Amino acid sequence: MKFCTNCGKQLNDDAKFCDTCGAPVSGTQTPPIPGTNENVGDDTKRKEVFVGVKRKCPVCGAEVSAFALTCPNGHELSGINVSKISKDFQEGLIEYEGKEERDFVASFPIPNEREALGNFMLMVASILKQDMQNGADQMRVSSFSSKFDEIKSKVYMMLKADDPIFGETKKWDSALNELYENYKKIIEERAIINRKKQKEQERKNRKWERKRNSLWYNASNETKGAIIGICISFGVAIILGCYLFGCAID
């Protein structure tokens, strides 16, 4: 099997010229490398190499944009796999907590590939949205907010304004800014409640401290028994005295 060294088309075994581009056929032919258009015997010619992936509908072949759930002709897309980067990030969030989780989020690399970058942006934005709606810990929200800002900067730097991922990032940025205002109110209300609880606990602590420092609290059981006995005897003496004094008057 022979191939044209100029355009890469397959040739008949006895061909002397390419039927497509007209280039003369000479010497032993080898198949061109997939994704390239090159002259195998001449390294001085520019080589055309295709990179990346073009997404197409498996039903009609129409080109599909990022984040699309249906093709332009309405065919539903299914079986879309989660990228390894997103999977690694999810597993890390499950494994770590507290400061370790924040360190993991801060150090996790942002992908360079367009679609992976868009999916990663959606994941971080969704987590941040849920955390703010639920009034999550401020340090966790701050950690994911910083990560989203990093992703946003990379999207704006790498992609054009008419790119769907660029537009989706701007929408999420606006929505998250609005949510943050409500989140601040939740945090302020929670702080007021916590201050009230703290003051109440301090009042109870002072009361307990006064009780703990009292003579009665620190007295032994024998001392307390003796004091109670004296009080009872004194009370009985007063009652008898009053009774006898009343009888004497009569």
Side-chain angles (χ1 to χ4, degrees), residues 2-244:
K2 298 196 300 184
F3 294 86
C4 176
T5 58
N6 184 57
C7 67
K9 295 295 182 179
Q10 185 176 342
L11 304 173
N12 296 326
D13 292 338
D14 57 350
K16 297 185 181 295
F17 294 91
C18 175
D19 294 334
T20 302
C21 66
V25 178
S26 61
T28 303
Q29 310 296 315
T30 57
I33 299 173
T36 65
N37 181 12
E38 59 179 302
N39 189 322
V40 178
D42 189 354
D43 293 335
T44 62
K45 287 191 175 183
R46 173 179 288 181
K47 300 177 182 180
E48 184 178 0
V49 181
F50 299 95
V51 297
V53 177
K54 179 177 286 190
R55 302 171 73 234
K56 290 189 175 183
C57 174
V59 178
C60 64
E63 189 172 343
V64 179
S65 62
F67 311 127
L69 298 179
T70 60
C71 79
N73 295 322
H75 298 120
E76 184 177 354
L77 304 175
S78 61
I80 301 174
N81 296 325
V82 178
S83 68
K84 185 179 184 303
I85 294 173
S86 298
K87 186 177 179 181
D88 291 343
F89 190 71
Q90 290 173 334
E91 291 176 351
L93 296 181
I94 295 173
E95 181 178 355
Y96 301 111
E97 292 182 357
K99 185 179 183 302
E100 288 185 344
E101 182 192 66
R102 295 193 296 272
D103 292 341
F104 169 77
V105 172
S107 61
F108 194 86
I110 300 174
N112 293 317
E113 195 270 322
R114 175 183 172 277
E115 191 164 349
L117 176 61
N119 289 330
F120 190 57
M121 181 277 296
L122 285 177
M123 177 182 293
V124 173
S126 299
I127 294 173
L128 183 56
K129 175 185 176 181
Q130 185 175 6
D131 282 353
M132 287 195 289
Q133 288 177 334
N134 295 336
D137 176 72
Q138 282 181 281
M139 297 188 73
R140 176 182 165 91
V141 169
S142 177
S143 173
F144 278 94
S145 181
S146 297
K147 199 66 182 179
F148 179 79
D149 287 341
E150 290 180 31
I151 299 170
K152 178 180 67 176
S153 298
K154 193 163 191 175
V155 168
Y156 291 169
M157 179 180 65
M158 289 179 54
L159 306 179
K160 295 181 179 180
D162 59 351
D163 191 292
I165 297 176
F166 190 102
E168 195 72 17
T169 303
K170 288 196 70 174
K171 290 179 183 178
W172 271 103
D173 187 32
S174 177
L176 291 174
N177 285 334
E178 292 180 7
L179 276 175
Y180 186 69
E181 296 301 319
N182 294 329
Y183 174 73
K184 286 196 297 183
K185 293 178 182 178
I186 294 174
I187 295 302
E188 290 171 359
E189 292 173 358
R190 184 183 297 170
I192 293 172
I193 294 173
N194 289 338
R195 283 196 295 269
K196 289 181 179 179
K197 289 182 178 179
Q198 185 178 2
K199 288 182 180 179
E200 180 63 20
Q201 187 61 43
E202 289 174 353
R203 186 187 67 79
K204 291 180 178 179
N205 291 342
R206 287 194 297 269
K207 184 178 180 180
W208 169 251
E209 191 69 22
R210 288 194 298 268
K211 179 180 179 181
R212 192 165 63 87
N213 293 331
S214 65
L215 293 174
W216 177 261
Y217 181 82
N218 291 308
S220 64
N221 291 333
E222 292 79 5
T223 303
K224 290 178 181 179
I227 294 173
I228 292 172
I230 292 172
C231 291
I232 293 173
S233 300
F234 186 71
V236 171
I238 291 175
I239 294 172
L240 287 173
C242 291
Y243 175 76
L244 293 174

